[in-house]
Amino acid sequence: MSAPEFDKRPSLKYLGLPEGYTPAPDTDPISFLTQYIFQLPPHLLSHYSYITTPKQRTVIPTIRNRRLQHANRNPPELAFEAGRKTWPDLWQGRERRGVEEGNEERAWAEQGFLQGNQKHVGKLGKLLAEYEEEREAERVRIIRRERAVVHDDFVPEEDSDSDEDGPPPSEPEPESEEQTRSSFERLLRERFIYGLLENIDYDKVDWDESLGEADDREAEDRWFDEDDD
């Protein structure tokens, strides 16, 4: 199925602009949106997803601020558990993968299979849980292998000015589990705001006019300055 084609005429007609207006919606959509995003209704704005990417739209302050407001509402898709499952390659934790999924399989076997008859389901629940853990672990391994291949050709340059005789750098203190989760959620929010997350619906945020502009710039500066505290 071919992707929908973008037609600039509905936007120009809605705004009362001539056919040859510049910046043109089809050839310079980012500049056009920056200028007219408040005047266009959501049903027309959504058409610009055909010709722009979430990353490209990040340069539009209004869209960036809408994403910030959405992220600050703690949406479930950017929470730790959901984020770890959706973007396992971004998660640097070391706990066993698939444990939660395995527990869900075990619960189904113990409660839903044959009305929870322990004589029949005790071993089944254990087997299903172990299988789900291994399946999730393999999924994460595949994703990380694919990610490693992309960067396989990158060889960092050696620092000729480095002091080889100097003392080795001290090891940073390990983060607590709570700090690790918080850091991961912050990473998800930052990548979401900059249009770098895949498998997430940007359109519902970028074209949502209910996410207003009040105090957006101040909120954005305050949010990104948190690391300096």
Side-chain angles (χ1 to χ4, degrees), residues 109-168:
E110 293 176 351
Q111 300 173 17
F113 183 69
L114 295 179
Q115 290 74 49
N117 189 320
Q118 293 299 317
K119 179 179 179 180
H120 298 284
V121 305
K123 189 173 182 179
L124 173 63
K126 182 175 183 294
L127 290 174
L128 285 175
E130 291 174 351
Y131 172 73
E132 185 61 30
E133 289 178 20
E134 178 56 32
R135 183 170 60 182
E136 176 68 8
E138 179 61 22
R139 184 177 76 90
V140 173
R141 285 194 293 269
I142 291 173
I143 291 175
R144 287 188 168 172
R145 279 199 299 268
E146 292 174 348
R147 187 179 179 87
V149 169
V150 174
H151 302 286
D152 190 49
D153 294 332
F154 174 73
V155 179
E157 296 182 1
E158 295 184 0
D159 186 359
S160 58
D161 297 329
S162 62
D163 186 1
E164 296 181 358
D165 298 329

Side-chain angles (χ1 to χ4, degrees), residues 160-200:
S160 58
D161 297 329
S162 62
D163 186 1
E164 296 181 358
D165 298 329
S170 59
E171 291 290 334
E173 293 186 8
E175 290 183 322
S176 66
E177 181 178 352
E178 182 179 354
Q179 289 173 325
T180 301
R181 289 183 172 224
S182 178
S183 296
F184 179 63
E185 289 183 338
R186 180 178 177 83
L187 172 65
L188 293 182
R189 282 163 169 73
E190 289 177 347
R191 292 183 68 86
F192 171 74
I193 291 169
Y194 286 112
L196 300 176
L197 286 182
E198 299 178 352
N199 302 318
I200 192 168

Side-chain angles (χ1 to χ4, degrees), residues 215-229:
D215 299 323
D216 279 349
R217 182 56 57 85
E218 180 182 349
E220 182 178 17
D221 292 341
R222 184 170 59 252
W223 193 80
F224 284 107
D225 284 342
E226 286 180 359
D227 278 345
D228 298 333
D229 295 340

Side-chain angles (χ1 to χ4, degrees), residues 4-32:
E5 292 186 4
F6 178 80
D7 185 356
K8 68 177 182 179
R9 290 172 296 181
S11 293
L12 294 175
K13 181 179 179 181
Y14 184 88
L15 296 169
L17 299 174
E19 184 80 13
Y21 180 83
T22 57
D26 53 348
T27 59
D28 193 1
I30 298 300
S31 296
F32 187 83

